[in-house]
Amino acid sequence: REKLDDYLEGVRAIEKQIQAEEKKPSGPPPDLEVPGGNPGDHGKHLKMMFDLLAAAFQTDSTRIATFMFGDAQSGRNFDFLGFKGSWHGLSHHLNEERTKAQYEAIATWHVGEFAYLVEKMRSLDEGGTSLLDNSMILFGSTLKDGNKHDHKNLPLVLAGRGQGTLRPGRRVTAPPETPLCNLHLALLHRHGIMLPSFGDSTGPLPGLI
């Protein structure tokens, strides 16, 4: 009963947030077409989406989910971080120190939002283990350097323990030219989906346990 009450209270809190945002008269930013019910505050929107994701995993409503922080081609303004400029525009920093610092501030902010989801899942008990312990969350980007459109040597974060099939808290460096799909294939195998290959993979990525 306690667990059910906690869950229902959590869902109701999300509903109240969405209802409160829907009543606000503020329209979408001029450079974005925002669906109805999407709060103008980008940070609030992300946290509501992460709360919904955690609730969906908690109830086993889904076992796979993807979430895009934002369209990298959009003109979303990050002036709430203390400067004006879009994520995409600042990614073409031309190695100017001031622009690079602003671009880094956006990336740092995104990591902080991701940490919110990780902590949320860590706080949900599943009989002695946490929802995070029983999950695998991959966070990253398709580009390492937006200025050069460099898609090699991507920095990625893999959180969770995958029910003991992952050993977190380490930095794992893959050999040069390792396809990203090797990691995807390794995660698929941990789901019991024993495909021989995925995309341009050359084999499951080793060293995750």
Side-chain angles (χ1 to χ4, degrees), residues 1 14 30 51 64 69 87 128 133 135 168 177 182 189 196 198 202:
R1 275 200 298 269
I14 298 170
D51 287 342
I64 300 287
F69 273 80
W87 188 9
D133 288 331
S135 303
E177 305 299 327
N182 284 14
H189 286 182
F198 178 79
T202 56

Side-chain angles (χ1 to χ4, degrees), residues 11-56:
V11 170
R12 184 59 189 139
I14 298 170
E15 289 173 345
K16 285 180 178 177
Q17 289 179 58
I18 294 172
Q19 289 165 356
E21 293 298 331
E22 286 177 335
K23 290 177 183 176
K24 289 184 179 178
S26 60
D31 56 346
L32 290 173
E33 183 180 345
V34 180
N38 185 343
D41 186 316
H42 188 44
K44 280 187 179 178
H45 178 218
L46 291 185
K47 284 184 171 61
M48 278 197 285
M49 293 301 297
F50 287 150
D51 287 342
L52 286 169
L53 280 173

Side-chain angles (χ1 to χ4, degrees), residues 116-133:
Y116 171 84
L117 173 62
V118 171
E119 290 302 324
K120 178 85 177 178
M121 295 178 68
R122 192 200 306 272
S123 71
L124 297 173
D125 179 69
E126 294 197 328
T129 60
S130 70
L131 178 60
L132 180 64
D133 288 331

Side-chain angles (χ1 to χ4, degrees), residues 81 87-88 91 107 142 165 206:
L81 294 179
W87 188 9
H88 183 217
S91 72
T142 55
T165 64

Side-chain angles (χ1 to χ4, degrees), residues 28-119:
D31 56 346
L32 290 173
E33 183 180 345
V34 180
N38 185 343
D41 186 316
H42 188 44
K44 280 187 179 178
H45 178 218
L46 291 185
K47 284 184 171 61
M48 278 197 285
M49 293 301 297
F50 287 150
D51 287 342
L52 286 169
L53 280 173
F57 284 131
Q58 184 183 16
T59 56
D60 207 17
S61 300
T62 185
R63 294 190 176 183
I64 300 287
T66 60
F67 180 72
M68 184 169 67
F69 273 80
D71 182 356
Q73 298 293 326
S74 81
R76 176 178 293 285
N77 198 307
F78 282 80
D79 55 0
F80 58 88
L81 294 179
F83 53 82
K84 290 186 178 180
S86 70
W87 188 9
H88 183 217
L90 292 170
S91 72
H92 296 288
H93 46 71
L94 301 177
N95 288 317
E96 295 174 354
E97 290 304 319
R98 181 170 175 272
T99 309
K100 282 172 67 177
Q102 293 172 342
Y103 184 47
E104 181 180 340
I106 294 175
T108 301
W109 182 80
H110 279 134
V111 172
E113 297 302 297
F114 172 69
Y116 171 84
L117 173 62
V118 171
E119 290 302 324

Side-chain angles (χ1 to χ4, degrees), residues 141-145 150-156 171-180:
S141 169
T142 55
L143 292 176
K144 179 184 180 182
D145 183 350
D150 180 8
H151 63 278
K152 294 187 176 182
N153 198 21
L154 294 176
L156 304 167
R171 181 182 179 188
V172 177
T173 303
E177 305 299 327
T178 298
L180 173 59

